[in-house]
Amino acid sequence: MIDFRYHLVSLISVFLALALGVVLGAGPLQNSLGTALNDQVTALREDRNATQTKLEQTEAAVNERDSYITQAASTLLPGTLASKKVALVLLPEAKAEDADAVATQLKTAGATVTGRVSLTTTWVDVSRENYRSTFSGQIQGNLGGAGSKDANGILGEGLAKALTGNDEASRALMDLLTVDTSGTPFVTVDSALTAPAEMIVVVGPRPQAASAKGATVGPSSGQDPKAWAKALTGTASRATTVVVGSADGDDNVVTVIRSESAKVTTVDSVGQVAASVSAPLALASTQAGTVGHYGFDKGADAVMPPVSK
């Protein structure tokens, strides 16, 4: 009986509140409520229009900037990498279109792209750490002595020699890296090498998209991003290497390389015209003896590499 009375009183209260709202809305509050709502709608519409205008202006400015950089590249790049041979290496989740953009600017600089390979997550999966340690012994046997002290660095050295060498050991290294002995090879070949490379450009993924809750989605918890820094340090110790990637997030490849003070030249803001244009200049600067960090994000030494011919 108490529960029934409680529910009955609650229902009566709800209906009374509704009735009161109807009476007030149709009477003394009608005009003020309508005016307030109209004012809010008008203000929201004005804010929306202002935001849309700003977005259009920003987009136009970005397009004009990219157009300027592209035109400047046609003057700055030719001859900077005359007759150089460059191999492209894509990290997991890197976009083919970003690698294509880098390749276009390499050709503008006078270089020839000798081939393209992709690296798998076997390089960074925590569960494969022991496997990498064991496998590095086979890699080291074909290096003729490794400068790296850890397995990841030795694997990176093996990648460099496989891409730049022209002897039996180099071919053996490529076979080892591409063989599927445990479910996933270290390397897959996207475009077969036409000749040994002299330089290497590594293209990383763009910043990860934000999740529904607004948090940035980074690499899988089962991966160790620092393994990239160690491996690519090994690669850079054997060949002129530039990593074009993202520094927008703690686990992104360029951020990790910079935070680890690895001796690898980096260019951030992958996917932007500025990054693809900077890649050939960074290669030339690195070959001249300067390991630098270029772009717009944290850890950059300068916006763009030095220009020299």
Side-chain angles (χ1 to χ4, degrees):
M1 182 63 70
I2 295 177
D3 290 340
F4 175 75
R5 288 178 179 176
Y6 173 79
H7 289 302
L8 182 61
V9 171
S10 297
L11 287 171
I12 292 173
S13 299
V14 170
F15 284 116
L16 285 174
L18 288 172
L20 181 61
V22 170
V23 171
L24 292 175
L29 295 182
Q30 182 178 18
N31 293 332
S32 60
L33 285 174
T35 301
L37 288 173
N38 284 332
D39 290 345
Q40 289 180 15
V41 169
T42 300
L44 288 172
R45 185 180 295 113
E46 291 174 351
D47 288 344
R48 182 203 62 188
N49 292 338
T51 300
Q52 181 64 32
T53 299
K54 289 180 181 178
L55 287 174
E56 291 173 354
Q57 292 173 343
T58 300
E59 184 177 1
V62 169
N63 290 335
E64 291 170 357
R65 180 203 64 185
D66 289 349
S67 178
Y68 174 83
I69 293 173
T70 300
Q71 292 182 43
S74 64
T75 301
L76 296 175
L77 294 184
T80 56
L81 295 178
S83 303
K84 297 297 183 182
K85 296 179 175 61
V86 184
L88 287 176
V89 176
L90 279 66
L91 298 187
E93 298 185 27
K95 291 184 174 294
E97 62 195 78
D98 294 340
D100 291 341
V102 171
T104 297
Q105 300 304 336
L106 289 171
K107 293 174 183 176
T108 300
T112 299
V113 176
T114 60
R116 183 186 298 192
V117 301
S118 292
L119 307 189
T120 69
T121 58
T122 301
W123 292 81
V124 292
D125 285 340
V126 174
S127 63
R128 310 298 294 280
E129 186 174 357
N130 289 335
Y131 174 69
R132 290 196 297 271
S133 181
T134 302
F135 194 81
S136 66
Q138 299 181 56
I139 297 296
Q140 189 168 13
N142 288 280
L143 286 175
S148 301
K149 302 300 182 182
D150 67 279
N152 295 300
I154 292 171
L155 290 168
E157 288 190 51
L159 175 66
K161 185 169 182 178
L163 295 174
T164 61
N166 192 29
D167 56 9
E168 190 62 34
S170 300
R171 289 186 283 274
L173 284 167
M174 183 58 77
D175 289 341
L176 284 170
L177 291 169
T178 56
V179 70
D180 188 357
T181 59
S182 62
T184 305
F186 283 89
V187 176
T188 59
V189 178
D190 305 323
S191 177
L193 298 174
T194 57
E198 302 167 72
M199 302 173 167
I200 298 171
V201 174
V202 179
V203 180
R206 297 183 185 185
Q208 297 292 326
S211 69
K213 294 183 179 180
T216 300
V217 180
S220 166
S221 58
Q223 296 179 12
D224 177 16
K226 292 183 180 180
W228 286 129
K230 295 175 182 177
L232 295 174
T233 298
T235 302
S237 71
R238 289 224 169 215
T240 300
T241 302
V242 169
V243 178
V244 182
S246 171
D248 186 10
D250 293 340
D251 291 333
N252 288 306
V253 62
V254 170
T255 302
V256 174
I257 289 173
R258 292 175 179 178
S259 64
E260 292 294 304
S261 300
K263 294 182 178 180
V264 185
T265 294
T266 63
V267 176
D268 64 47
S269 303
V270 64
Q272 297 185 26
V273 173
S276 58
V277 170
S278 289
L281 297 174
L283 279 175
S285 179
T286 303
Q287 187 180 47
T290 300
V291 174
H293 304 294
Y294 309 104
F296 308 101
D297 294 327
K298 183 178 180 180
D301 303 322
V303 171
M304 64 178 290
V307 179
S308 60
K309 293 186 179 181

